[in-house]
Amino acid sequence: MNKKISIIGLPLDMGASIRGARLGPSTLRLNGLIRELKSLDLEIKDLGDIEVSNSYEDQVGPKNLKNYQIVKEACTKLYNKVDEIIKTKNLPLVLGGDHSLAIGSVKAALNNYPDLGVIWIDTHGDINNEKISPSGNIHGMSLSAIMGLACEELSNIGQNKNFLKSQNLVYIGLRDLDKEERQVLKDYNIKAFSLQEIDEYSIGKVTKEALKYLNKKTNHIHVSLDIDVVDPIYAPGTGTRKNGGLTPREIFLLTEILSKSDLITSVDLVEVNPLLDIKSQTSVLAIDIAKSLFGEKLL
């Protein structure tokens, strides 16, 4: 894996319905993220946070897109910054913020690697669009925008030439899908490993199978990791919790296997909400996950 890491924060939480993830990037830094990554002999550049025009109340947007203008502006800025980072041959680590930011980061990665593969590590599918979303929250529509399955307002953010191919997407950790999202996964034959399959086959086998599946198509993989994939017993500081998630042992094995693949070219770490956390438990876990993903090993 590239040892030159550029960190950029996007303190955005207007893509979600629960406020607080805007504090995620600064909380991760305050809990030692930069220091811990530097301890791995990585070349770390902290580029700070992109300025975001967050609000405290929801704003009506077009086509059932809540807070559209705020999310669009933030994701466009992130797109430009991540595109710039990749062109300098550094690996971008994007700190969230809610998961709508992936519209900017993944679109930028696709601009540089049209054959990009994406491993989406999340409890949720995030593949609703403006027509089927029950909430209008854009963090639940990220992948539709990235794949060109949403309206022009979303799909055109960043760039609209290189969309993610359905066969280049793999989910790991799903356990909460809307009915319409299940149909989208079936219609586009999207590779997905739910918690049931992880329980049956083990996280190690599932992760290796995901890498094998993508490695036939690409040498460039974007990892987008939502901390809510971890069981809330261990990660209470996130906005859309659901019982029955991954244990720390499972998430560390997953990220260590990904790290060893040498295929990772960009990363999102999202949905850490310190307002909901208990004694920084989730922030510290997220930092340990980042360390594992970037090469920390026990032996």
Side-chain angles (χ1 to χ4, degrees), residues 42-43 167 177 242 282-283 292:
L42 300 170
E43 185 179 319
Q167 65 267 28
L177 287 174
K242 186 174 178 62
T282 309
S283 298
S292 176

Side-chain angles (χ1 to χ4, degrees), residues 93 223 263 277:
L93 168 57
V223 173
L263 296 172
D277 208 0

Side-chain angles (χ1 to χ4, degrees), residues 227 232 234-239 241 271-278 281-283:
I227 197 67
Y234 310 104
T238 191
R241 293 173 288 189
E271 298 284 2
V272 172
N273 187 334
L275 295 183
L276 304 175
D277 208 0
I278 301 171
Q281 182 178 346
T282 309
S283 298

Side-chain angles (χ1 to χ4, degrees), residues 256-294:
E256 185 171 336
I257 292 171
L258 293 179
S259 178
K260 289 177 180 177
S261 75
D262 289 329
L263 296 172
I264 309 306
T265 50
S266 46
V267 176
D268 304 322
L269 183 57
V270 304
E271 298 284 2
V272 172
N273 187 334
L275 295 183
L276 304 175
D277 208 0
I278 301 171
K279 297 181 179 180
S280 295
Q281 182 178 346
T282 309
S283 298
V284 171
L285 177 62
I287 291 169
D288 288 340
I289 289 170
K291 289 169 65 181
S292 176
L293 188 58
F294 287 107

Side-chain angles (χ1 to χ4, degrees), residues 97-218:
D98 71 64
H99 218 163
S100 65
L101 66 76
I103 300 172
S105 60
V106 180
K107 285 284 200 77
L110 283 161
N111 193 49
N112 291 273
Y113 311 116
D115 66 342
L116 186 75
V118 171
I119 296 181
W120 199 269
I121 305 169
D122 200 335
T123 288
H124 307 95
D126 295 346
I127 203 166
N128 279 304
N129 60 35
E130 73 285 351
K131 295 178 180 178
I132 62 175
S133 170
S135 67
N137 293 328
I138 296 176
H139 75 160
M141 309 183 206
S142 305
L143 276 167
S144 286
I146 292 164
M147 299 172 71
L149 304 179
C151 58
E152 288 186 0
E153 286 85 348
L154 279 183
S155 295
N156 287 349
I157 292 174
Q159 51 89 2
N160 60 3
K161 296 178 181 178
N162 297 310
F163 290 117
L164 177 66
K165 303 177 183 71
S166 59
Q167 65 267 28
N168 282 26
L169 170 64
V170 179
Y171 285 103
I172 297 179
L174 290 177
R175 67 186 189 278
D176 189 11
L177 287 174
D178 296 324
K179 178 181 178 181
E180 292 81 2
E181 288 183 302
R182 294 193 194 99
Q183 191 60 49
V184 173
L185 266 62
K186 291 178 182 177
D187 289 345
Y188 289 90
N189 195 29
I190 294 171
K191 192 79 165 176
F193 296 102
S194 68
L195 258 292
Q196 286 81 1
E197 287 157 312
I198 290 170
D199 288 342
E200 184 173 357
Y201 301 115
S202 84
I203 190 64
K205 184 172 182 179
V206 161
T207 307
K208 290 175 183 176
E209 182 62 29
L211 287 168
K212 181 180 178 182
Y213 173 81
L214 288 177
N215 199 21
K216 294 177 181 178
K217 305 170 180 67
T218 181

Side-chain angles (χ1 to χ4, degrees), residues 8-24:
I8 185 71
L10 193 74
L12 169 72
D13 60 11
M14 300 305 291
S17 57
I18 297 175
R19 302 289 162 256
R22 67 182 68 177
L23 304 174

